[in-house]
Amino acid sequence: MTAESVSASPVRFDSVTKRYPGADSVAVEELSFEVPAGEICVLVGPSGCGKTTALRMVNRTVEMTSGDILIGGRSVKEGDPARLRREIGYVIQQIGLFPHRTISQNIGTVPALLGWDKERIAARAAELLELIGLDPEYGDRYPAQLSGGQQQRVGVARALAVDPPVMLMDEPFGAIDPINRSRLQNEFLRLQAELKKTVLFVTHDVDEAIKMGDRVAVLKKGGHLAQYATPTELLMEPADDFVEDFVGADRALKRLALMRVRDVDLWTAPLAQAGDPAEPVRTAVAAAEVPHALLVDAENRPLGWLSARDLDGEQVPATPDSVADPLIDADSVLRDGLASLLQSGSLYAPVVDARGRLAGVLSVEIVSDFLASDEASESELTAAERPHD
Amino acid sequence: MSGTINHGLAQLAAVDQGFFTDRSGGGCIQDNKLFCPGWVADNYDRYVHPTLQHLVLVGSAVAAGFLIAFALAIFAHRHRWLQTPFLAGTGILYTIPSISFFFLLLPITGRGALTAIIALTAFNLQIIFRNVTNGLRNVPANVTEAATGIGMTPSQVLWRVELPLALPEVIAGLRIATVSTVALATLAVFANGGGLGTEIVTGSNITFKTGIIVAGSIAVIMAILFDAVLLLIGKLLAPWKRKQALV
Amino acid sequence: MIPLPALTLPTAAFGLFGDAFNFVFDGREAETGGVTVGGTSQVLDLAAKQLEVTLLALAVAILLAMPVGLWLGHRQKGEFLAVSAGNAGRAIPELALIALMAAAIGVGLVNLVVALAILGIPPILTNTYVGISQVDRASVEAARGMGMTETAIVRKVELPLAVPTIMGGVRTAAINIIATATIAPLAGILTLGDFIIARNVYGDAGVLAGAILVALMALALEGTLAGIQWAMTSKGLKLKRS
């Protein structure tokens, strides 16, 4: 599956209002915004702000009272809701895999509804299993035999089955523990970089919104749009007290979630393989940014840090004094990288790509430099964009 | 008053002398010992027809009960407000003792197997209705929500997701209904409905112990066999339950 | 024996149902001749007897099955025994049980009550076990954590929470017992079932009258037990279920 072969459609909310029968107030009132094709738009807000209602009106699992939602210029109100839903991927927090059907059958649900033949469904299920990084043998298992994180990956695969132009994700990672949530978020962002779907994503977690969103729609009670902006704008210039409050006092730190580790200038460390002569390594260490050498294997995967004692001999030893821990995923955001560093109490950590190969070294200093430069850019931006001040 | 009633009972329990004397069994039968294997060996053929009748009674009553209760449960699943009245209605039919039900039908269907089948069906409805309804209700909301959300029509959600997931409870209801009906169908004899009850009460003597034991045992074995078959069907139709147990 | 005209004339229009009505209130001549059968006094006698054996057997079944179910359920042990008992109980043919009891051990009130109690034990045992063992373990742990003794846990936590399930078992048992008490005349104890069984004495009017009376009695018992269950169930549980 390549980026060229897939389609995405813009989604436009046009004065969408939902009033539940018998309710005193409206759940969503006059909501209007547009999500460009291929972008992730996160709907975020406190509970009761109408974000899930807004999402569910897109696939008509909740019918709107007035207004319209257009997907690629076509109103969702046209035609049969079941048919509409088959063209929209849908992932919910509780996943909702069918316990009585195998993983492959679960993934193949919508293709089967659309009448695909068996071979095509099987081929598609296998393709999607590979895409979400599950072994093909998982296809014959039942959902109860999978971990929560694996189930949620299957939920995403099921939503992607017929390559829908739009995906709706309702707190998809809300029930997953923090470590796995971060991993699933990264995986999804990696997928999205390839698939370029239009995604509407609901969360109550502002950190997740900032990390996942190309755009963030902050909703307040009654489904009023408080701000619709890119994460950077949201952090730099909250539209009002509500947004400022919701985003939180630590929004300077939150900006660390906007930058990926691979996108900052990483440091380089002297590298050595087991059996190399020790002398040149000692020289390199004395002159390097990182005052320690990294032992790597033939595939350039970090094995551990070499101490001065390790380098005392003629040759570089095969087992270093300290293992390379933590290892930081190049796709993770700077905030998570910093968290790993702080947690392990180390000043440096090797950064590795998806295959475990060394991409550079992250240091606490890089992060603080980034924050300092960012602070500067914020004051510039503020001065430039607020001429009235 | 009591004199009259004893008279009635004596009539019912009238000893079919020919039945005793014509058959072999010797002293065991004359003394009406608890169990006479010799008599059973010589007379097993007399149980074939009542056993078949019993199977027909049970099969018809459970099949009819299932069809009606299943349809009611599906209908009430779509129209939730009907669940309470349906439950109450089938509850009344369940509570009325079958033997009483036979004779309530007397002015309408008279005596015979049909009367017995109707009464046994009425008894079954509640058990099956309740299990189908519970089975459907216990399907996790997130699963039906996901099914609707990815584009299943309401009837696809029902037939492809809700009913398969409710299947273990449906089968459990069928097992309870079938086993209970096998036992209850012995009473069909009072409605002239045939079945194994004929070997316990009429035509012979209700004090003939060997006959009671044989007929009762056939009923118990039949119940166990029905139960085992349904259990097996349930396991075959719900493979996900087995695999889950392995984890 | 002299019927009130106002009562008989309209009811006669209902055919057999009218005859049954007359049978209950006025009685009629026995099919076998000579004696008057039916009428309110005999109906009340037989009804009282049916209720008596039913309640006695139910009480015996409760006293025997409930403590065992409570104990097993509280200890979370013996699931196989408790659940198999329920399944096996359903397979007992009531007719064969009563007939064999009468033939092998003898007729009489005690034997009948024992036989009926045997039918009542399985559902009470199973439901008590299931009701107690399915009480949310968090509630039990909380109670233990607060320093309740094991008896107090059963009495104050498990039992109140299990009331609906346990009473469900009691109601099933009661229905089985009262239905089977109808054939008690086979074991020498005359209940309303005598009208049904001894057709050669009471005629079709008596049979139908007996059937109606037994049905009404069963429904009344079930209704009463449902009411008792409602009264015994804590308000908190009723809220949760609605």
Side-chain angles (χ1 to χ4, degrees):
Chain A
M1 146 162 316
T2 62
E4 289 77 24
S5 72
V6 299
S7 55
S9 308
V11 176
R12 200 171 96 205
F13 276 65
D14 201 352
S15 303
V16 175
T17 298
K18 175 64 189 181
R19 182 178 280 108
Y20 283 104
D24 300 338
S25 53
V26 285
V28 174
E29 190 171 24
E30 296 281 321
L31 184 61
S32 298
F33 63 94
E34 178 158 3
V35 187
E39 289 199 357
I40 299 180
C41 167
V42 181
L43 303 174
V44 67
S47 51
C49 71
K51 54 191 189 293
T52 294
T53 301
L55 186 83
R56 299 177 108 211
M57 285 189 282
V58 177
N59 70 359
R60 292 177 62 189
T61 41
V62 170
E63 293 283 2
M64 63 192 102
T65 311
S66 65
D68 203 355
I69 296 173
L70 304 165
I71 296 180
R74 231 183 86 209
S75 168
V76 297
K77 290 185 192 166
E78 288 169 21
D80 172 36
R83 197 154 295 172
L84 168 80
R85 289 171 197 149
R86 290 170 199 175
E87 291 163 13
I88 300 175
Y90 190 44
V91 184
I92 57 176
Q93 178 180 343
Q94 304 84 356
I95 315 173
L97 294 184
F98 305 133
H100 61 304
R101 313 183 87 195
T102 63
I103 299 306
S104 290
Q105 287 170 338
N106 264 285
I107 295 175
T109 307
V110 180
L113 289 175
L114 293 175
W116 290 17
D117 61 56
K118 274 188 180 158
E119 287 96 74
R120 190 169 166 215
I121 295 175
R124 181 63 177 151
E127 186 182 13
L128 284 163
L129 275 176
E130 196 192 326
L131 189 71
I132 58 169
L134 279 186
D135 205 88
E137 69 171 72
Y138 278 86
D140 292 328
R141 297 197 188 176
Y142 286 96
Q145 297 170 295
L146 269 58
S147 71
Q150 289 170 331
Q151 290 189 28
Q152 192 53 275
R153 288 186 183 92
V154 174
V156 171
R158 183 175 66 179
L160 285 169
V162 294
D163 206 10
V166 175
M167 299 243 308
L168 307 178
M169 305 179 82
D170 190 357
E171 306 218 19
F173 309 131
I176 312 271
D177 67 88
I179 292 169
N180 277 305
R181 185 189 312 152
S182 162
R183 188 174 300 155
L184 284 168
Q185 287 168 345
N186 294 342
E187 277 180 20
F188 184 73
L189 287 171
R190 208 143 45 198
L191 271 181
Q192 167 67 1
E194 204 180 315
L195 302 175
K196 301 239 186 297
K197 299 288 172 197
T198 309
V199 179
L200 272 83
F201 189 112
V202 161
T203 180
H204 63 266
D205 175 3
V206 76
D207 290 309
E208 184 168 58
I210 288 163
K211 179 174 177 182
M212 302 302 287
D214 295 308
R215 283 154 197 271
V216 179
V218 183
L219 299 182
K220 51 180 154 184
K221 215 158 185 71
H224 293 286
L225 190 59
Q227 187 166 8
Y228 184 50
T230 64
T232 314
E233 283 168 353
L234 195 70
L235 292 172
M236 303 281 192
E237 287 187 275
D240 56 19
D241 289 347
F242 170 80
V243 178
E244 186 162 357
D245 216 37
F246 188 73
V247 168
D250 57 342
R251 57 197 170 92
L253 279 176
K254 285 200 164 75
R255 252 170 288 137
L256 291 175
L258 293 174
M259 187 65 103
R260 284 184 196 285
V261 172
R262 67 173 133 78
D263 294 330
V264 297
D265 285 328
L266 295 172
W267 289 3
T268 52
L271 303 181
Q273 289 188 21
D276 284 353
E279 171 60 29
V281 182
R282 282 199 293 267
T283 322
V285 167
E289 262 179 316
V290 183
H292 296 283
L294 255 181
L295 182 70
V296 293
D297 66 8
E299 305 288 326
N300 213 26
R301 286 183 295 233
L303 298 172
W305 293 104
L306 294 162
S307 66
R309 210 168 32 146
D310 285 329
L311 294 172
D312 270 352
E314 290 285 303
Q315 286 188 333
V316 174
T319 47
D321 246 8
S322 63
V323 293
D325 179 58
L327 282 177
I328 293 171
D329 182 350
D331 282 318
S332 59
V333 290
L334 220 41
R335 189 192 58 201
D336 297 341
L338 178 64
S340 303
L341 283 176
L342 295 178
Q343 203 171 9
S344 67
S346 39
L347 289 172
Y348 323 97
V351 175
V352 292
D353 64 16
R355 292 185 186 159
R357 288 178 312 209
L358 187 70
V361 173
L362 182 70
S363 71
V364 175
E365 210 178 316
I366 297 176
V367 180
S368 66
D369 285 353
F370 171 80
L371 276 176
S373 68
D374 222 24
E375 292 291 346
S377 73
E378 181 193 20
S379 47
E380 279 165 29
L381 186 82
T382 313
E385 294 194 0
R386 286 184 185 163
H388 310 298
D389 284 3
Chain B
M1 186 181 79
S2 62
T4 342
I5 292 151
N6 283 340
H7 182 57
L9 253 182
Q11 289 275 316
L12 179 84
V15 178
D16 175 358
Q17 289 298 339
F19 170 72
F20 279 87
T21 48
D22 293 353
R23 299 273 176 165
S24 66
C28 183
I29 286 297
Q30 296 306 332
D31 301 345
N32 194 8
K33 294 231 172 77
L34 185 62
F35 190 64
C36 304
W39 182 86
V40 179
D42 290 342
N43 293 279
Y44 66 89
D45 54 316
R46 67 178 286 121
Y47 289 95
V48 174
H49 184 61
T51 302
L52 291 177
Q53 276 184 326
H54 208 85
L55 280 172
V56 171
L57 287 174
V58 173
S60 320
V62 172
F66 177 74
L67 288 179
I68 297 169
F70 188 78
L72 289 178
I74 298 287
F75 194 68
H77 185 61
R78 292 260 166 91
H79 311 272
R80 293 292 161 100
W81 62 273
L82 283 171
Q83 280 181 354
T84 310
F86 280 5
L87 206 58
T90 54
I92 289 171
L93 296 178
Y94 173 79
T95 305
I96 295 174
S98 295
I99 186 160
S100 153
F101 216 115
F102 296 151
F103 298 102
L104 291 176
L105 292 169
L106 188 68
I108 305 157
T109 54
R111 290 185 163 77
L114 179 66
T115 302
I117 289 169
I118 294 173
L120 294 172
T121 302
F123 165 82
N124 274 325
L125 292 177
Q126 160 115 71
I127 300 170
I128 300 168
F129 177 82
R130 201 171 38 198
N131 273 56
V132 177
T133 305
N134 285 347
L136 290 174
R137 191 186 299 146
N138 290 342
V139 173
N142 62 31
V143 172
T144 45
E145 193 193 322
T148 306
I150 63 175
M152 289 193 187
T153 62
S155 84
Q156 283 169 334
V157 174
L158 179 67
W159 290 98
R160 296 188 187 197
V161 177
E162 294 180 295
L163 282 173
L165 285 174
L167 191 97
E169 282 194 65
V170 175
I171 297 278
L174 267 178
R175 288 172 61 195
I176 297 174
T178 310
V179 171
S180 310
T181 305
V182 172
L184 270 185
T186 51
L187 295 172
V189 58
F190 292 109
N192 280 2
L196 287 164
T198 54
E199 293 300 317
I200 298 173
V201 176
T202 50
S204 68
N205 184 323
I206 59 158
T207 60
F208 178 44
K209 293 168 204 156
T210 302
I212 297 168
I213 289 177
V214 174
S217 302
I218 295 175
V220 170
I221 291 166
M222 191 185 288
I224 292 171
L225 288 179
F226 267 123
D227 195 50
V229 168
L230 285 168
L231 184 73
L232 190 69
I233 292 176
K235 293 228 157 161
L236 288 176
L237 291 180
W240 66 94
K241 282 274 167 189
R242 270 180 291 152
K243 292 228 178 171
Q244 268 173 24
L246 296 177
V247 175
Chain C
M1 182 53 204
I2 301 163
L4 294 170
L7 206 65
T8 3
L9 284 178
T11 51
F14 292 97
L16 193 51
F17 282 105
D19 292 345
F21 195 81
N22 284 339
F23 177 88
V24 171
F25 289 98
D26 305 321
R28 50 169 290 185
E29 194 183 343
E31 295 282 308
T32 42
V35 213
T36 298
V37 290
T40 42
S41 75
Q42 193 192 1
V43 164
L44 287 176
D45 273 356
L46 295 186
K49 188 52 99 178
Q50 179 141 6
L51 193 61
E52 182 193 338
V53 294
T54 300
L55 293 181
L56 270 176
L58 188 61
V60 171
I62 290 173
L63 285 175
L64 290 178
M66 210 179 274
V68 179
L70 285 176
W71 187 72
L72 290 177
H74 178 67
R75 301 283 304 273
Q76 306 257 307
K77 275 184 186 162
E79 181 182 356
F80 182 74
L81 173 80
V83 174
S84 315
N87 290 335
R90 272 192 291 274
I92 301 173
E94 296 83 348
L95 179 60
L97 177 71
I98 295 295
L100 189 64
M101 185 65 102
I105 302 170
V107 296
L109 185 67
V110 175
N111 291 348
L112 175 68
V113 167
V114 169
L116 293 179
I118 288 173
L119 291 174
I121 286 171
I124 297 175
L125 176 61
T126 306
N127 279 43
T128 306
Y129 172 84
V130 170
I132 296 288
S133 66
Q134 282 184 347
V135 167
D136 184 4
R137 284 299 106 186
S139 302
V140 176
E141 284 311 308
R144 201 167 278 143
M146 286 183 290
M148 278 196 194
T149 62
E150 294 304 302
T151 348
I153 290 173
V154 174
R155 238 184 42 238
K156 296 191 176 160
V157 180
E158 292 177 331
L159 207 46
L161 288 173
V163 160
T165 313
I166 296 177
M167 280 304 291
V170 171
R171 286 160 69 182
T172 305
I175 290 171
N176 287 354
I177 291 173
I178 199 166
T180 310
T182 309
I183 54 171
L186 298 180
I189 303 296
L190 300 183
T191 60
L192 287 172
D194 200 49
F195 292 147
I196 295 176
I197 293 169
R199 177 185 171 216
N200 52 350
V201 178
Y202 303 106
D204 279 348
V207 169
L208 186 60
I212 293 170
L213 291 167
V214 167
L216 290 177
M217 197 166 192
L219 289 169
L221 179 65
E222 161 69 7
T224 308
L225 289 173
I228 291 175
Q229 174 179 340
W230 179 251
M232 283 171 68
T233 306
S234 118
K235 256 187 190 156
L237 290 181
K238 290 176 200 164
L239 285 176
K240 219 157 110 195
R241 288 156 91 217
S242 60

